[in-house]
Amino acid sequence: MAAIEAFERLNQRQREAARFADRPLLIIAGAGTGKTNTLAHRVAHLLLEGKSPERLLLLTFTRRAAMEMTRRAQRIVGEVMREARLPWSGTFHSIANRLIRRHCRRVGLDESFSVLDRGDAADLMDLVRHERGLSKADKRFPRKDSCLAIYSHRVNTQRPLEETLAAVFPWCAEWEGELKGLFGAYVERKLANQALDYDDLLLYWHAMMSDARLAAEIAGQFDHVLVDEYQDTNVIQAEILKGLRPAGAPVTVVGDDAQAIYSFRAATVENILGFEAQFGASVVVLEENYRSTQAVLDAANALAGKKLRSRKNAGPKPRYVTVADDQAQAEYVVGRVLEARERGVLLRRQAVLFRSSHHSDMLELELVRRNIPYVKYGGLKFLEAAHVKDMLAVLRWADNPKNRVAAFRALQLLEGVGPATAERIYTRFEAQIHAWSALQTGAPELDELMRFLAAAPWAGQMQRVREWFAPILERKYDTARVRAGDLEQLEHIATRFPTRELFLTELALDPPSATSDLSGAPYLDEDYLVLSTIHSAKGQEWDAVHLLNVADGNFPSEFSSGRPELVEEERRLLYVAMTRAKRDLHLIAPLKYYVTRQSRMGDRHVYGAKSRFLTDAVMQCFEQVVHGEAHEAESISSCKAQVDVAGRLRAFWS
């Protein structure tokens, strides 16, 4: 009875999707329509119908999404039966890692293979780049991060390198031959090191699904496969799913074609648009929105051609605010944020969103000046901090003695050891078949530590490494005491993982933005404003949202205006930003942008043009406001021409 009541709490469409028959299903879930809740009820329904939890595969894009989905499904099921674990719930990459480790011998890997995080993969790419003489080319060769981005895009789209360069990296097209050689050498080095990068996990899983026997074995493990955020999948992930669910086998995918904004990660909206035909699926569309007022949804619907209906009241019209420049924009945002706070809207229930991270620079200065605490998403990640990578390098080397990148970083922590010395030490270790007993670094403390890590249980290893690293931290870094706190937090996080391999792999596959992602909420003052790029804000919601720099050049980005499909993705990006707002939405459009402050002619600026996405139909949904000095600027720019300069110019050539 309790389970029936749980499903009665859903609306009609959600209930239809959750209790659908055991066959292919596509759920198109508009923004704020209860996607997570519906998919969790779908999982619960399958369990209540008798499916074994061990035979359900749930694929998500973040660890947090998998945990939230599992928690909700367990709560629903737990009302009528014992708690059910979902052991095969996780990100595409974490599930790939588990399957590869289970079948590693059949794909030519050692059981101790490493998973490189993005930083380590870039370092390995740079090492090969240097060895091939490309760092000393007559003309500037692409740097390591650009090389890795090209490699990643090419393998995830499965497009030829020539097409990848022409479409996404045209400034690198002249290096096609050199890049092809570099990528081949990079692959060989990974194989020699028994290391897989982030993209390899999908490539290996894809290869496993291309083998008929192995594919049948893996697919046979699961009675039903469920995929969240299907609009964010790439070509390889779609083909993996096809291998898992051939010939109409039960599968459920959830997504929203209007929120497909990750083509730069090789995601393709065509996967969700073509799912119905490819899998012979039925479609359920969710359009009842639980997040936003109807006024916000009217604007979003007009922009994206959707039909979202609100469960809330109409609410105030969103605002389209014209300001003079980025300084006036910052002042407007701070003023409105403080006004809302006085009305009882906490700072952390308000957000400022932007297309690119640097767009908030002026605002951040104003927030500091006004003593307003804030947190920003879309900047430096916790695991990218040098002192954290240093300590993890020791553990990564212990986990896989063939991990050359980790070994080089760990060895160079020793005083007086540079790249050449590290090369000699590692080559000698390699000649001894990577036997820890033969390691001679010239530092007995490190030799002893590595032998301890190779043989000791996982419990206590992080503490031992942190204690060894403490004097190095003091010698190498400023603010060592603050950094030591990061490492203590990392040690605390490590206690939540049963093995070293799982700890290192999970950090590589789904790295936290900060220690707080795994260890609890940060203490940032009594309250704090949220600043975020739109891509980092996807899936979030706030009472009030301020969107910066809404003008052509940003929406759409100037780098996307030459290709229709990218322009449409930019429209979807604006839609995602707008639908984060529950009640108050402000789109802010500066009349001019300062581009440098170092010109002898004074501040240089360019004028902003109204976003092409803000058509008359969209603008009818907004209250149009002019703020501050923009009154004068707008009246000047809107007045009709009184002098026929155009006629005079034509007369020159008539």
Side-chain angles (χ1 to χ4, degrees):
M1 183 64 66
I4 295 176
E5 291 176 1
F7 284 89
E8 288 301 319
R9 291 194 288 265
L10 302 177
N11 66 43
Q12 182 180 347
R13 287 291 189 179
Q14 290 174 330
R15 193 159 52 248
E16 179 186 350
R19 305 180 80 164
F20 198 79
D22 199 18
R23 49 192 174 84
L25 173 65
L26 168 62
I27 304 173
I28 298 292
T33 57
K35 167 185 70 69
T36 301
N37 196 37
T38 303
L39 188 56
H41 278 79
R42 176 77 171 144
V43 172
H45 170 73
L46 293 171
L47 293 173
L48 293 170
E49 288 288 297
K51 298 284 190 236
S52 169
E54 293 78 15
R55 294 187 61 79
L56 296 184
L57 174 60
L58 176 60
L59 295 166
T60 64
F61 278 83
T62 67
R63 180 196 295 113
R64 279 188 167 182
M67 292 171 60
E68 174 65 11
M69 203 75 68
T70 301
R71 184 186 64 80
R72 291 197 192 192
Q74 287 175 339
R75 187 187 67 223
I76 299 162
V77 173
E79 294 179 6
V80 291
M81 58 187 289
R82 63 181 176 80
E83 184 177 347
R85 285 179 59 251
L86 293 172
W88 288 96
S89 170
T91 66
F92 267 94
H93 291 83
S94 65
I95 296 296
N97 173 66
R98 290 178 60 188
L99 290 171
I100 295 166
R101 290 193 185 277
R102 175 174 287 192
H103 302 285
C104 58
R105 295 297 181 186
R106 296 168 72 173
V107 293
L109 291 171
D110 295 342
E111 293 178 2
S112 62
F113 73 83
S114 296
V115 178
L116 303 175
D117 65 18
R118 290 290 190 187
D120 286 345
D123 288 345
L124 183 59
M125 181 75 76
D126 201 36
L127 178 66
V128 178
R129 176 177 172 271
H130 181 71
E131 289 175 351
R132 296 180 68 82
L134 296 171
S135 58
K136 297 179 180 179
D138 293 336
K139 295 177 66 177
R140 185 170 61 89
F141 189 77
R143 301 191 62 162
K144 62 179 182 180
D145 291 320
S146 295
C147 291
L148 188 64
I150 296 167
Y151 173 86
S152 179
H153 200 277
R154 183 260 178 270
V155 299
N156 280 298
T157 59
Q158 297 287 285
R159 295 163 68 180
L161 179 58
E162 180 182 9
E163 288 185 22
T164 295
L165 292 173
V168 188
F169 305 93
W171 62 93
C172 301
E174 64 178 302
W175 298 103
E176 181 186 349
E178 290 83 355
L179 286 168
K180 189 172 184 179
L182 170 64
F183 296 154
Y186 170 66
V187 168
E188 292 299 329
R189 184 60 59 89
K190 285 187 296 181
L191 292 171
N193 291 358
Q194 285 289 297
L196 273 59
D197 65 22
Y198 195 69
D199 302 312
D200 290 331
L201 292 166
L202 293 185
L203 290 175
Y204 269 77
W205 191 4
H206 183 259
M208 289 160 64
M209 301 310 296
S210 300
D211 179 87
R213 286 183 57 190
L214 193 50
E217 185 176 331
I218 293 172
Q221 288 181 234
F222 307 110
D223 292 331
H224 202 108
V225 178
L226 304 100
V227 186
D228 191 19
E229 303 284 13
Y230 193 66
Q231 78 279 349
D232 294 336
T233 55
N234 60 36
V235 171
I236 293 179
Q237 289 163 325
E239 291 183 355
I240 288 171
L241 185 63
K242 190 66 177 176
L244 285 168
R245 302 285 88 182
V251 57
T252 299
V253 304
V254 183
D256 182 7
D257 55 293
Q259 297 188 65
I261 59 173
Y262 290 110
S263 68
F264 67 94
R265 294 183 188 168
T268 172
V269 70
E270 298 304 322
N271 285 347
I272 193 167
L273 295 178
F275 183 85
E276 180 183 2
Q278 187 176 16
F279 286 80
S282 300
V283 182
V284 175
V285 181
L286 307 183
E287 295 178 323
E288 200 164 352
N289 180 285
Y290 292 81
R291 174 189 300 154
S292 306
T293 59
Q294 191 60 51
V296 170
L297 295 182
D298 287 343
N301 288 339
L303 175 73
K306 291 292 182 178
K307 299 178 180 178
L308 297 177
R309 307 181 306 277
S310 177
R311 298 272 296 212
K312 299 184 175 183
N313 57 25
K317 267 191 170 186
R319 293 181 124 208
Y320 177 81
V321 185
T322 304
V323 296
D325 53 23
D326 51 359
Q327 178 63 49
Q329 176 174 245
E331 292 169 357
Y332 173 81
V333 169
V334 170
R336 297 297 298 186
V337 164
L338 292 178
E339 284 178 23
R341 182 174 178 270
E342 289 302 311
R343 296 197 309 269
V345 182
L346 295 173
L347 291 178
R348 61 178 174 269
R349 296 307 312 152
Q350 305 181 60
V352 182
L353 306 184
F354 30 85
R355 179 68 178 77
S356 300
S357 183
H358 68 274
H359 287 174
S360 67
D361 290 350
M362 184 64 71
L363 174 62
E364 291 180 59
L365 291 174
E366 185 68 13
L367 291 171
V368 170
R369 189 180 73 81
R370 303 281 288 272
N371 196 30
I372 300 173
Y374 68 91
V375 62
K376 182 176 181 180
Y377 297 98
L380 181 68
K381 302 296 189 290
F382 171 63
L383 291 187
E384 293 170 1
H387 60 293
V388 176
K389 289 183 69 67
D390 285 343
M391 198 164 97
L392 288 176
V394 177
L395 289 166
R396 293 189 195 282
W397 188 21
D399 204 56
N400 177 8
K402 296 179 182 178
N403 189 333
R404 191 185 190 93
V405 173
F408 269 51
R409 188 172 192 117
L411 290 169
Q412 290 180 76
L413 296 175
L414 301 175
E415 195 163 11
V417 174
T421 305
E423 173 74 37
R424 287 196 299 272
I425 295 171
Y426 185 80
T427 300
R428 189 165 59 240
F429 175 60
E430 195 174 37
Q432 296 295 325
I433 321 176
H434 302 97
W436 292 117
S437 59
L439 179 65
Q440 293 182 326
T441 65
E445 297 87 354
L446 180 57
D447 296 344
E448 180 184 347
L449 175 66
M450 299 310 296
R451 291 177 190 126
F452 168 81
L453 297 176
W458 166 232
Q461 288 192 21
M462 280 291 292
Q463 179 181 351
R464 183 74 178 270
V465 174
R466 184 173 59 80
E467 291 171 350
W468 171 82
F469 186 59
I472 298 172
L473 185 69
E474 291 280 354
R475 167 174 56 83
K476 191 175 178 185
Y477 294 106
D478 295 330
T479 62
R481 182 174 298 179
V482 175
R483 294 173 187 264
D486 289 341
L487 301 182
E488 289 172 3
Q489 285 282 12
L490 192 64
E491 181 182 338
H492 176 67
I493 292 168
T495 62
R496 304 185 181 190
F497 293 85
T499 67
R500 182 178 62 202
E501 177 273 317
L502 186 60
F503 169 67
L504 294 172
T505 300
E506 284 300 304
L507 288 188
L509 298 185
D510 195 10
S513 297
T515 48
S516 59
D517 276 8
L518 291 176
S519 60
Y523 177 74
L524 294 167
D525 207 303
E526 62 171 346
D527 200 5
Y528 51 87
L529 180 66
V530 177
L531 275 56
S532 177
T533 62
I534 300 170
H535 286 98
S536 296
K538 187 167 176 289
Q540 304 298 313
E541 58 184 40
W542 294 274
D543 292 341
V545 168
H546 299 78
L547 182 58
L548 304 184
N549 298 338
V550 183
D552 252 39
N554 294 317
F555 296 97
S557 165
E558 60 184 315
F559 302 110
S560 302
S561 57
R563 295 170 56 191
E565 69 274 16
L566 292 184
V567 170
E568 283 308 302
E569 179 164 333
E570 293 290 310
R571 183 193 302 275
R572 297 193 293 268
L573 190 67
L574 180 56
Y575 170 83
V576 167
M578 291 167 58
T579 54
R580 300 311 94 198
K582 290 184 175 182
R583 182 178 184 275
D584 296 320
L585 173 63
H586 306 254
L587 271 56
I588 310 168
L591 291 176
K592 59 185 177 182
Y593 300 85
Y594 292 100
V595 294
T596 179
R597 301 185 182 274
Q598 300 175 357
S599 170
R600 290 181 297 173
M601 303 293 290
D603 291 342
R604 294 178 56 205
H605 59 266
V606 295
Y607 287 96
K610 186 177 177 182
S611 170
R612 70 191 71 178
F613 299 141
L614 300 180
T615 62
D616 290 343
V618 175
M619 290 302 294
Q620 287 177 8
C621 302
F622 284 86
E623 174 191 358
Q624 299 185 47
V625 178
V626 180
H627 173 73
E629 295 179 4
H631 279 291
E632 180 181 352
E634 187 178 69
S635 64
I636 293 172
S637 63
S638 62
C639 68
K640 294 183 178 179
Q642 302 298 315
V643 181
D644 186 13
V645 179
R648 295 187 184 190
L649 292 175
R650 293 187 184 103
F652 279 121
W653 313 106
S654 61

